[in-house]
């Protein structure tokens, strides 16, 4: 079976993105509470959520 870059199902893609964003958002909240720039933290959250979904689609 070859990897398919197209999402298997739109609801699956949405749930993967939501779970990834929640996980990254939790870590971001802790980082901002310790003094990190909120914009930097938001950028890291978005990048990690998108990367997680991309990996989830390939696997």
């Amino acid at each position: 079976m070859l990897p398919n870059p197209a999402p298997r199902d739109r609801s699956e893609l949405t749930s993967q993105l939501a779970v990834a964003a929640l996980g990254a958002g939790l870590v971001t909240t802790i980082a901002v509470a310790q003094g990190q720039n909120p914009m930097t933290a938001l950028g890291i959250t978005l990048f990690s959520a998108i990367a997680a979904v991309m990996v989830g689609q390939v696997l």
Side-chain angles (χ1 to χ4, degrees):
M1 181 173 170
L2 295 173
N4 185 2
R8 294 182 197 101
D9 184 346
R10 191 155 195 77
S11 64
E12 183 179 347
L13 181 64
T14 303
S15 65
Q16 283 180 350
L17 187 58
V19 169
L22 285 173
L26 180 65
V27 175
T28 299
T29 302
I30 294 168
V32 169
Q34 293 181 352
Q36 185 178 17
N37 181 349
M39 293 308 290
T40 302
L42 183 61
I44 293 169
T45 299
L46 290 174
F47 174 79
S48 61
I50 291 170
V53 170
M54 288 173 63
V55 169
Q57 288 298 312
V58 171
L59 297 177

